[in-house]
Amino acid sequence: MVGGYAWAIYFYPDGKSVEDNAGYVSLFIALASEGTDVRALFELTLMDQSGKERHKVHTHFGRSLESGPYTLKYRGSMWGYKRFFKRTLLEQSDYLKDDCLSVHCSVGVVKSHTEGPKIISIAVPISNIGQQFGQLLESGRRTDVNFEVEDDVFSAHKLVLAARSPVFRAQLFGPMKDQNTQRIKVEDMKSPVFKALLHFIYWDTLPDMEELTGVNSKWASTLMSQHLLAAADRYGLERLRLLCEASLCDNVAINTVATTLALAEQHHCFQLKAVCLKFVAMPENLRAVMQTDGFEYLEESCPSLLTELLEYVAKESEHSIVVCRYGNEAILDGSDVNGRRVKQRL
């Protein structure tokens, strides 16, 4: 192996080409492993076996690195000589001894990348394009569209909205765009939710939920994340939707899990749905969740989910284990100490 590549020598005693009529022997070196555009220098030496050291040398090593290396395009590519030595002369020379030739081959692989000591180190700041767009929104300069949401009006820039959201793009510039693109009324959305939506579009980050809601509670933050997830789905903001889904997965709680589960079903958030189902199905959570107003909403809006929930409850019951010490035996849940099956109750 040289330079990370395998190499092979090919010797043709009757010549490689038919037109030579076996008048010359041919000698080549070939790339024997996978590689593309391998640049290398070669030296082939036919050794004098008489002790006189009159070797026959063909070398590239005296050439410059700019023009000297030969490029082997792919595995099996060769470099060498079709007419390396005239056969009749070779048979009478000191290079042949006991019908054997000795050939020495040197290979030098040229690497195109060279490294030297680093003289300077330039610190490149992280991108602040989100901050710059956010400051543009806060400044209110050059806005060209207004949105009415409940009792509030939000100003924005059409091109920024269109670049970030396919729904806004169609609404503002598409063939079916709104007739009045200067002032658009947004239905079925809370004002703080639309404000958070604009914050993400410009800043590319989630807003501070506590600052946005004015309430320091997980319940309020979860409620905002639920509404923001629905808004993200409505306007085709996939990254925002996933950020909200991840936040809701991390903050599953008794008083909000039912509404979160309904939301996950309606907006096809499969990971969030699985987390909620598993949480509700836990024996210590199920009864408390069923007593919340959110569970009543879940029954009305997504009745099919109750079947899936029952399946999860059944799985949890099958895998729950009550370990009892009775002698040296462990009793599985669902059996009494005598091994008899007993009916389980939720």
Side-chain angles (χ1 to χ4, degrees), residues 137-196:
L137 176 66
E138 292 178 349
S139 71
R141 292 194 300 268
R142 300 295 180 94
T143 58
D144 54 3
V145 62
N146 295 308
F147 293 91
E148 292 184 22
V149 190
E150 294 186 315
D151 296 328
D152 294 317
V153 176
F154 298 94
S155 300
H157 306 82
K158 291 180 182 179
L159 286 176
V160 176
L161 300 180
R164 296 283 278 156
S165 162
V167 177
F168 276 128
R169 190 181 310 128
Q171 188 177 22
L172 297 170
F173 298 106
M176 303 297 290
K177 67 180 180 180
D178 290 6
Q179 292 183 352
N180 182 9
T181 58
Q182 302 300 316
R183 197 173 188 88
I184 298 173
K185 188 171 182 61
V186 179
E187 305 286 354
D188 303 322
M189 187 176 296
K190 299 291 184 182
S191 177
V193 177
F194 192 81
K195 183 178 181 181

Side-chain angles (χ1 to χ4, degrees), residues 4-254:
Y5 302 98
W7 304 88
I9 295 177
Y10 287 86
F11 179 72
Y12 299 88
D14 295 323
K16 191 173 187 294
S17 301
V18 177
E19 61 267 20
D20 291 330
N21 295 319
Y24 290 85
V25 298
S26 303
L27 186 63
F28 291 87
I29 184 166
L31 181 63
S33 59
E34 297 299 331
T36 55
D37 295 329
V38 179
R39 300 176 70 230
L41 295 167
F42 305 104
E43 183 175 279
L44 291 172
T45 304
L46 185 59
M47 306 302 293
D48 183 349
Q49 301 189 71
S50 67
K52 300 175 184 177
E53 297 188 0
R54 295 176 181 175
H55 312 304
K56 183 175 178 60
V57 181
H58 295 271
T59 183
H60 273 177
F61 282 95
R63 301 182 182 181
S64 67
L65 290 179
E66 288 75 19
S67 60
Y70 185 84
T71 301
L72 300 171
K73 294 292 185 181
Y74 45 81
R75 181 178 182 177
S77 296
M78 294 182 174
W79 172 86
Y81 301 91
K82 290 194 298 182
R83 297 187 175 188
F84 182 71
F85 212 104
K86 197 166 185 178
R87 179 168 178 148
T88 54
L89 295 177
L90 181 62
E91 291 174 347
Q92 301 169 10
S93 70
D94 292 330
Y95 303 116
L96 187 65
K97 183 178 180 181
D98 299 329
D99 294 328
C100 293
L101 294 173
S102 177
V103 178
H104 183 272
C105 175
S106 297
V107 179
V109 175
V110 179
K111 298 291 186 180
S112 58
H113 176 69
T114 58
E115 290 188 358
K118 292 184 178 179
I119 301 174
I120 58 174
S121 177
I122 300 176
V124 180
I126 62 173
S127 172
N128 62 346
I129 188 172
Q131 181 180 1
Q132 292 171 340
F133 273 99
Q135 291 170 348
L136 176 66
L137 176 66
E138 292 178 349
S139 71
R141 292 194 300 268
R142 300 295 180 94
T143 58
D144 54 3
V145 62
N146 295 308
F147 293 91
E148 292 184 22
V149 190
E150 294 186 315
D151 296 328
D152 294 317
V153 176
F154 298 94
S155 300
H157 306 82
K158 291 180 182 179
L159 286 176
V160 176
L161 300 180
R164 296 283 278 156
S165 162
V167 177
F168 276 128
R169 190 181 310 128
Q171 188 177 22
L172 297 170
F173 298 106
M176 303 297 290
K177 67 180 180 180
D178 290 6
Q179 292 183 352
N180 182 9
T181 58
Q182 302 300 316
R183 197 173 188 88
I184 298 173
K185 188 171 182 61
V186 179
E187 305 286 354
D188 303 322
M189 187 176 296
K190 299 291 184 182
S191 177
V193 177
F194 192 81
K195 183 178 181 181
L197 185 78
L198 285 181
H199 182 282
F200 175 81
I201 287 176
Y202 280 82
W203 290 86
D204 200 37
T205 59
L206 285 174
D208 186 315
M209 296 299 186
E210 181 181 336
E211 180 181 334
L212 193 65
T213 60
V215 180
N216 181 17
S217 74
K218 285 188 176 181
W219 175 83
S221 296
T222 297
L223 188 62
M224 175 56 70
S225 294
Q226 290 175 343
H227 285 292
L228 194 52
L229 187 150
D233 197 27
R234 174 175 171 177
Y235 285 99
L237 297 168
E238 181 64 13
R239 183 169 183 269
L240 176 59
R241 189 182 74 84
L242 292 173
L243 284 170
C244 293
E245 183 177 359
S247 176
L248 290 169
C249 283
D250 292 336
N251 294 283
V252 177
I254 295 290

Side-chain angles (χ1 to χ4, degrees), residues 229 233 238 241-242 245 260-274:
L229 187 150
D233 197 27
E238 181 64 13
R241 189 182 74 84
L242 292 173
E245 183 177 359
T260 299
L261 178 56
L263 181 78
E265 176 72 1
Q266 293 162 357
H267 295 277
H268 311 291
C269 302
F270 302 112
Q271 294 185 68
L272 179 59
K273 176 181 175 180

